[in-house]
Amino acid sequence: MNYLLRLTMPILLAVLATTVRANTYTYEFKQKVFSGNGTQSLGEVSWTLQTDGKFFGYDSKSQKGQQFGSGNKPAKTMTLSTTGIQGTISSIKVETSGANGINATLNVTVGEVAFGQTYNLTKASTEASFTGSAAGAIVLSYAQKSSKAIYIKKITVEYTTSGEPPVVTKPATPTFTPTGGTYTSPQSVSIATTTTGASIYYTTNGETPTTSSHLYGTAITVDKNTTLKAIAYANGMASDVATATYIINGETPKPTQKVNGLAALRSATDGTLVTLYIADADNARVLFAGNDDAFIRDKDCTACFAGVKAKPAMAYNQHVAGYIVGKKMTQNGMTTLQAVADTHTAFLVIAAPVQESDVEPAVMKAGEHATHLGDWVTMKDLTMKNGKLEANGQTYMLNNAYGLNGDAFYQQPYEGAIVDLSAIVYPTATGIELRPIYNKVEKTEAHDVEARDFRPLIYVIDETRNFTSPTADIPHATVRLHRTFSPDKWNTLALPFAVTFEGGKLRKYDNVDGQTMKFVEAASVEPGVPYLFKPATVIENPTYTDVTLSKTEARKVMHGSCGFAGTYSPYTMKTDKTERFLGEGNKLYWPDTTTSPDANKMKGLRAYFMVPETMTEAKVSIVGETTAIDNVATDHPTATANAHVYNLNGQFVGIGTAGLPKGVYIVNGKKMVIN
């Protein structure tokens, strides 16, 4: 061997021994993988989840990935860690996001060495990049101050290895107990491996198991001719595939009972395997689908299809007919068709509506939930108290189980809020949950209808009930008023949100001249500001969408010594002549409770006038109008007629003459003697 060759070979061997190999690990969540704390295989690497969150799901609508926590069951802290990636790690990228209003951070360490900077989550799914150089356990650490859902869509790790690859022990091939063979009755088959911490996956269709197959957790009941295949994952490696064949009496058993319609399903014995037939005439419709559950209503009753997977997934308003196999169960009183190994939708027709009328929610009152389990309902005038919804003494839990956010016009209602709800009535072991849903009727060429939606949450402001303002502005809110505006008079008005009225006339307090309070034209309503309003037509209990419900309290607008004060809640006016309303001849009158005890009671969403006690000739001037305004007496509960009655001192005493003591009164601007 010549000298040059002998010199070159050790150098070449040294180079080969220190060859650096670049590697990339990538995993994308395309379905719900984690259903609780523990270890799952994400591709070829096992990851361990530890969180205080109590909800797990998958966002198929916005494609944001695996969901951890929800508004009611948030993941305040969460770590996702692995020791399955060997080598020097240089980059970790996490595509992640949160629900609307998220206030959460993500930090990454490798071998307890911090990578990159703290990342603040946003509503949009965004790739956060963390760089460094270290080896060891990878830990993704989330922490949040809000109570929102957290999503992870994709994880990418770039790393290098050098020299000889590390020795990785291949997990032991799983074994079946009992082993395959011929049996005269169904068998309970367990699958195990001697490799500690390995994840075992199996299939019953003869294909090679993958991490998208059934994760083994409990024994498998084999009740028909079946070939099982199993594989173990550990240390980033897969075991050999184990196979076992079971023959049960040489034939596949048939479901034990055929039931026609949801009412017959409800009557079937729990645990019974059934073939459910839904006739086209039953007009079975999808109320809502989410979290692998679909809620179906036909002409007779409602049922939950649990774990039934359709491709594409079922959606609101679809018509359902045909055959489906499953196990009949009753879940806390709710009729359920539970998916089994044989469940599929191949013989189930699932189609969008064409000529059918759109499916509507049932109207449910407090206490009526027993007849609406699993049903889509609307409920009105629920009050948020101590984190629960209350109406007429009945309390319901509120669970944003389907991860609604601002895109679905949902905000967690604040303490003291009065709301209307569109929700699924979901029974649990601890009580009834109302699970908000957002349904939308789509206009299509085949289904030529007016597009509309059913908002999951509507804030209610009731003129007869005290109103609690939110602690922060709520954008994109839907608000329903319990009040009627008459076109025949001026209505006083104060609202906690901005709005522009189409048609009608709006006036605001501008200045005072002597004893005359002057009102001028206004273009739109500002939150908290009191106004005079006369609509073009009657407006009864209006609903306003996509407004910002303001934390601004009702205001008092002062000019000089006179003011105009709004109130969202019912108000008791003073009787010392300093708080008044407009009466006949545009004069300001004060209530007289000596003859009418409720004369000073004013409903909410209104305004009253503030003047000095000594201002005896106080009146109002409205630009472009001379017609009298409404007043507190117009709406108080003792009203029996339309006539406004005053005593000779100009004090308002009530509406109508019935029941008045003997004396002389001013009725509709004329003197009247009551004998």
Side-chain angles (χ1 to χ4, degrees):
M1 181 179 295
N2 66 39
Y3 177 77
L4 180 59
L5 180 59
R6 285 179 303 181
L7 181 64
T8 303
M9 287 185 66
I11 297 175
L12 178 59
L13 291 174
V15 171
L16 291 174
T18 58
T19 298
V20 176
R21 292 185 290 274
N23 302 274
T24 300
Y25 161 82
T26 300
Y27 181 80
E28 181 174 353
F29 287 94
K30 296 184 179 180
Q31 62 182 8
K32 181 176 75 173
V33 177
F34 287 97
S35 297
N37 289 329
T39 301
Q40 298 287 351
S41 292
L42 306 184
E44 68 273 16
V45 177
S46 295
W47 290 76
T48 300
L49 174 70
Q50 184 63 46
T51 179
D52 57 357
K54 302 299 182 184
F55 177 82
F56 304 88
Y58 180 76
D59 182 3
S60 58
K61 180 179 179 181
S62 302
Q63 298 297 310
K64 298 175 75 172
Q66 164 95 45
Q67 177 181 345
F68 302 89
S70 63
N72 284 346
K73 300 177 181 179
K76 292 289 187 179
T77 61
M78 183 176 79
T79 61
L80 196 59
S81 60
T82 185
T83 58
I85 299 179
Q86 306 296 319
T88 300
I89 296 165
S90 58
S91 170
I92 298 174
K93 297 177 182 179
V94 184
E95 187 171 342
T96 185
S97 61
N100 188 36
I102 188 72
N103 182 3
T105 58
L106 169 61
N107 286 283
V108 173
T109 61
V110 178
E112 300 184 357
V113 176
F115 262 47
Q117 303 295 319
T118 299
Y119 175 73
N120 294 304
L121 273 68
T122 64
K123 172 185 173 183
S125 187
T126 305
E127 185 178 78
S129 181
F130 304 86
T131 57
S133 180
I138 299 174
V139 181
L140 313 182
S141 299
Y142 286 84
Q144 72 162 314
K145 296 181 180 179
S146 54
S147 295
K148 304 290 184 179
I150 292 174
Y151 301 91
I152 301 178
K153 183 176 182 180
K154 189 177 182 181
I155 302 172
T156 303
V157 180
E158 296 180 357
Y159 62 101
T160 56
T161 58
S162 60
E164 293 297 323
V167 177
V168 180
T169 303
K170 187 176 183 178
T173 303
T175 58
F176 299 93
T177 305
T179 59
T182 301
Y183 303 90
T184 59
S185 62
Q187 294 296 303
S188 177
V189 179
S190 62
I191 308 175
T193 178
T194 58
T195 303
T196 303
S199 298
I200 304 176
Y201 293 81
Y202 74 91
T203 61
T204 59
N205 55 11
E207 296 177 358
T208 301
T210 67
T211 54
S212 62
S213 307
H214 302 290
L215 174 63
Y216 173 72
T218 58
I220 305 161
T221 298
V222 178
D223 58 2
K224 63 179 182 178
N225 297 347
T226 300
T227 297
L228 289 177
K229 287 190 176 184
I231 192 169
Y233 286 91
N235 305 319
M237 297 186 68
S239 71
D240 293 331
V241 178
T243 302
T245 300
Y246 299 83
I247 305 299
I248 309 299
N249 288 330
E251 62 181 26
T252 302
K254 300 296 190 295
T256 58
Q257 185 177 355
K258 178 180 178 181
V259 295
N260 296 323
L262 299 186
L265 177 67
R266 181 172 56 187
S267 300
T269 303
D270 280 4
T272 301
L273 286 173
V274 301
T275 296
L276 171 64
Y277 173 64
I278 302 175
D280 183 66
D282 287 352
N283 196 30
R285 305 290 290 280
V286 179
L287 303 175
F288 179 78
N291 291 359
D292 292 335
D293 289 340
F295 300 91
I296 312 295
R297 184 198 296 160
D298 70 3
K299 59 184 179 61
D300 295 315
C301 62
T302 303
C304 173
F305 284 13
V308 176
K309 299 182 182 297
K311 293 183 179 181
M314 285 187 269
Y316 161 63
N317 224 7
Q318 288 178 325
H319 188 105
V320 180
Y323 292 89
I324 186 169
V325 173
K327 182 184 292 185
K328 189 271 175 167
M329 300 296 292
T330 301
Q331 180 181 346
N332 301 307
M334 179 174 64
T335 300
T336 303
L337 182 75
Q338 180 69 51
V340 295
D342 285 338
T343 301
H344 57 77
T345 58
F347 302 113
L348 202 62
V349 177
I350 306 171
V354 178
Q355 295 180 331
E356 303 97 326
S357 58
D358 298 312
V359 63
E360 299 275 353
V363 177
M364 187 177 88
K365 297 181 181 179
E368 296 179 346
H369 50 268
T371 59
H372 290 286
L373 300 182
D375 202 2
W376 172 31
V377 303
T378 55
M379 287 193 73
K380 289 190 174 183
D381 299 313
L382 294 152
T383 302
M384 194 72 177
K385 290 184 179 180
N386 301 319
K388 295 183 178 180
L389 293 171
E390 182 179 291
N392 297 329
Q394 178 68 54
T395 299
Y396 298 99
M397 295 176 286
L398 177 65
N399 182 6
N400 185 22
Y402 306 115
L404 302 189
N405 53 30
D407 293 337
F409 306 101
Y410 180 79
Q411 314 88 14
Q412 182 73 6
Y414 59 90
E415 185 72 9
I418 303 172
V419 298
D420 297 341
L421 208 66
S422 174
I424 295 294
V425 182
Y426 198 93
T428 71
T430 57
I432 300 297
E433 289 183 350
L434 296 179
R435 297 185 168 186
I437 63 172
Y438 175 51
N439 278 341
K440 185 176 182 180
V441 176
E442 302 284 358
K443 175 182 174 67
T444 65
E445 184 175 347
H447 191 53
D448 188 14
V449 296
E450 181 180 355
R452 58 176 177 153
D453 59 1
F454 299 88
R455 301 290 171 99
L457 180 73
I458 299 175
Y459 291 96
V460 179
I461 310 176
D462 190 333
E463 64 181 5
T464 65
R465 300 173 65 178
N466 288 332
F467 173 73
T468 301
S469 296
T471 57
D473 290 353
I474 301 175
H476 306 299
T478 305
V479 179
R480 175 174 67 87
L481 301 184
H482 180 205
R483 186 188 170 179
T484 298
F485 298 100
S486 171
D488 300 326
K489 60 186 179 183
W490 285 99
N491 305 260
T492 60
L493 170 68
L495 299 175
F497 57 90
V499 66
T500 300
F501 292 109
E502 297 295 333
K505 301 174 182 179
L506 189 69
R507 301 290 187 269
K508 64 180 179 181
Y509 178 38
D510 182 63
N511 63 78
V512 60
D513 183 7
Q515 296 194 36
T516 302
M517 298 175 65
K518 296 185 176 182
F519 284 73
V520 298
E521 293 184 2
S524 60
V525 170
E526 297 179 30
V529 178
Y531 295 90
L532 304 180
F533 173 53
K534 183 186 290 187
T537 59
V538 173
I539 300 177
E540 183 175 3
N541 300 334
T543 297
Y544 301 96
T545 58
D546 300 321
V547 300
T548 297
L549 184 59
S550 175
K551 65 180 180 180
T552 302
E553 298 290 347
R555 293 172 50 188
K556 297 178 180 178
V557 179
M558 300 296 299
H559 292 290
S561 59
C562 297
F564 193 38
T567 178
Y568 301 148
S569 303
Y571 180 72
T572 300
M573 295 175 63
K574 297 177 181 178
T575 57
D576 60 0
K577 303 182 182 181
T578 61
E579 295 181 352
R580 306 185 190 183
F581 53 84
L582 200 67
E584 303 296 335
N586 282 0
K587 293 183 179 180
L588 297 181
Y589 296 88
W590 60 91
D592 178 13
T593 56
T594 59
T595 55
S596 180
D598 293 324
N600 64 335
K601 304 296 183 183
M602 182 171 66
K603 293 182 180 179
L605 301 172
R606 287 166 170 77
Y608 57 91
F609 299 84
M610 304 169 62
V611 298
E613 178 185 357
T614 57
M615 189 177 285
T616 58
E617 298 298 325
K619 60 182 179 179
V620 165
S621 172
I622 304 171
V623 171
E625 291 289 335
T626 57
T627 305
I629 189 175
D630 75 321
N631 50 63
V632 64
T634 302
D635 302 297
H636 76 63
T638 61
T640 58
N642 293 325
H644 295 65
V645 182
Y646 306 85
N647 62 22
L648 294 179
N649 292 324
Q651 295 170 300
F652 174 74
V653 297
I655 295 180
T657 59
L660 287 176
K662 294 180 180 180
V664 180
Y665 298 90
I666 305 297
V667 181
N668 288 334
K670 298 179 181 180
K671 286 185 179 180
M672 177 179 290
V673 178
I674 304 296
N675 295 316

